[in-house]
Amino acid sequence: ESQCTDELTRKQRRRQDQITRVQTNLERWLQEAYRIPAEYRGKGFSAKLNYAHEKCGMDKDLFDACNRVRCWRNSAQHPEPGF
């Protein structure tokens, strides 16, 4: 059982790392593509995403897709107990 738990923990950590890298790369792209102002640099991904959508006219479908990445990353970093 311990071996299964260790393997599950490794897989979960690998998924967490992957989705974190995806969001980091997406955030970097957002900052460059939408020229996010310097005052947003210290704010979270959600604030930058909202800025791109509300102030720069980011397409709704792209906004939704980026927001799903944000939700997946939050889920990966803060899994519900028992999962």
Side-chain angles (χ1 to χ4, degrees), residues 27 31 36-52 54-55:
E27 190 168 353
Q31 288 177 184
I36 307 294
E39 64 260 21
Y40 282 83
R41 297 291 162 106
K43 295 185 179 182
F45 181 70
S46 185
K48 295 171 189 170
L49 186 56
N50 286 329
Y51 177 88
E54 294 168 6
K55 306 285 187 197

Side-chain angles (χ1 to χ4, degrees), residues 3 5 11 13 30 34 37 39 41 46-48 51 55 62 64 66:
Q3 216 172 357
T5 303
K11 285 181 180 181
R13 175 58 59 198
L30 264 179
Y34 289 94
E39 64 260 21
R41 297 291 162 106
S46 185
K48 295 171 189 170
Y51 177 88
K55 306 285 187 197
L62 179 56
D64 290 343
C66 291

Side-chain angles (χ1 to χ4, degrees), residues 15-30 45-46 49 58 61-78:
R15 280 190 220 107
Q16 288 171 338
D17 292 345
Q18 288 170 340
I19 196 65
T20 297
R21 278 193 304 274
V22 167
Q23 182 174 316
T24 299
N25 290 334
L26 186 56
E27 190 168 353
R28 202 173 297 135
W29 173 81
L30 264 179
F45 181 70
S46 185
L49 186 56
M58 173 189 268
D61 290 337
L62 179 56
F63 174 82
D64 290 343
C66 291
N67 198 44
R68 277 193 298 279
V69 169
R70 184 189 64 79
C71 291
W72 275 104
R73 190 249 175 218
N74 287 348
S75 246
Q77 293 301 103
H78 310 287

Side-chain angles (χ1 to χ4, degrees), residues 1-10:
E1 184 177 318
S2 177
Q3 216 172 357
C4 291
T5 303
D6 290 345
E7 180 63 23
L8 189 61
T9 301
R10 278 194 295 276

